[in-house]
Coordinates of all heavy atoms in Angstrom, one line a residue:
F57 N -20.0 -12.2 42.4 CA -18.7 -12.0 42.2 C -17.8 -12.6 43.2 O -17.9 -12.4 44.4 CB -18.4 -10.4 42.2 CG -17.0 -10.0 41.6 CD1 -17.0 -9.4 40.4 CD2 -15.9 -10.2 42.4 CE1 -15.8 -9.0 39.9 CE2 -14.7 -9.7 41.8 CZ -14.6 -9.1 40.6
G58 N -17.0 -13.6 42.8 CA -16.0 -14.3 43.7 C -14.6 -13.4 43.7 O -14.1 -13.2 42.6
G59 N -14.2 -13.0 44.7 CA -13.2 -12.0 44.8 C -11.8 -12.4 45.1 O -10.9 -11.8 45.6
D60 N -11.5 -13.7 44.7 CA -10.2 -14.3 45.1 C -9.0 -13.7 44.2 O -7.8 -13.8 44.6 CB -10.3 -15.9 44.8 CG -9.2 -16.5 45.6 OD1 -8.3 -15.8 46.2 OD2 -9.1 -17.8 45.7
S61 N -9.3 -13.2 43.0 CA -8.2 -12.6 42.1 C -8.6 -11.4 41.4 O -8.6 -11.3 40.2 CB -7.9 -13.7 41.1 OG -7.6 -15.0 41.7
I62 N -9.1 -10.4 42.3 CA -9.5 -9.1 41.6 C -8.3 -8.4 41.1 O -7.3 -8.1 41.8 CB -10.1 -8.3 42.8 CG1 -11.3 -9.0 43.4 CG2 -10.6 -6.9 42.1 CD1 -12.0 -8.3 44.6
P63 N -8.4 -8.0 39.8 CA -7.2 -7.2 39.2 C -7.1 -5.8 39.6 O -6.1 -5.2 39.7 CB -7.4 -7.4 37.7 CG -8.9 -7.5 37.6 CD -9.4 -8.3 38.8
S64 N -8.3 -5.1 39.9 CA -8.3 -3.7 40.2 C -9.6 -3.4 40.8 O -10.7 -4.1 40.7 CB -8.1 -2.9 38.9 OG -9.2 -3.1 38.1
A65 N -9.6 -2.2 41.4 CA -10.9 -1.7 42.0 C -11.8 -1.4 40.9 O -13.1 -1.5 41.0 CB -10.6 -0.4 42.8
S66 N -11.4 -1.0 39.7 CA -12.3 -0.7 38.6 C -13.1 -1.9 38.1 O -14.2 -1.8 37.6 CB -11.5 -0.1 37.4 OG -10.7 -1.1 36.8
M67 N -12.6 -3.1 38.4 CA -13.3 -4.4 38.0 C -14.5 -4.5 38.8 O -15.6 -4.9 38.4 CB -12.3 -5.6 38.2 CG -12.9 -6.9 37.7 SD -13.3 -6.9 35.9 CE -14.5 -8.2 35.8
I68 N -14.5 -4.1 40.1 CA -15.7 -4.1 40.9 C -16.6 -3.1 40.5 O -17.9 -3.4 40.3 CB -15.2 -3.7 42.5 CG1 -14.2 -4.6 43.0 CG2 -16.4 -3.6 43.3 CD1 -14.7 -6.0 43.2
L69 N -16.2 -1.9 40.0 CA -17.3 -0.9 39.6 C -17.8 -1.4 38.2 O -19.1 -1.2 38.0 CB -16.4 0.4 39.3 CG -15.8 1.0 40.6 CD1 -15.1 2.3 40.3 CD2 -17.0 1.3 41.6
R70 N -17.1 -2.0 37.4 CA -17.7 -2.6 36.1 C -18.7 -3.6 36.4 O -19.7 -3.7 35.8 CB -16.5 -3.2 35.3 CG -15.6 -2.2 34.7 CD -14.5 -2.9 33.9 NE -13.5 -1.9 33.4 CZ -13.6 -1.3 32.2 NH1 -14.6 -1.5 31.5 NH2 -12.6 -0.5 31.8
A71 N -18.4 -4.5 37.4 CA -19.3 -5.5 37.8 C -20.6 -4.9 38.4 O -21.7 -5.4 38.0 CB -18.7 -6.4 38.8
V72 N -20.5 -3.9 39.2 CA -21.7 -3.2 39.8 C -22.5 -2.6 38.6 O -23.8 -2.7 38.6 CB -21.3 -2.1 40.7 CG1 -22.6 -1.3 41.2 CG2 -20.7 -2.9 42.0

Side-chain angles (χ1 to χ4, degrees):
F57 198 103
D60 201 352
S61 300
I62 303 175
S64 64
S66 65
M67 187 64 201
I68 300 296
L69 299 177
R70 290 176 184 272
V72 171

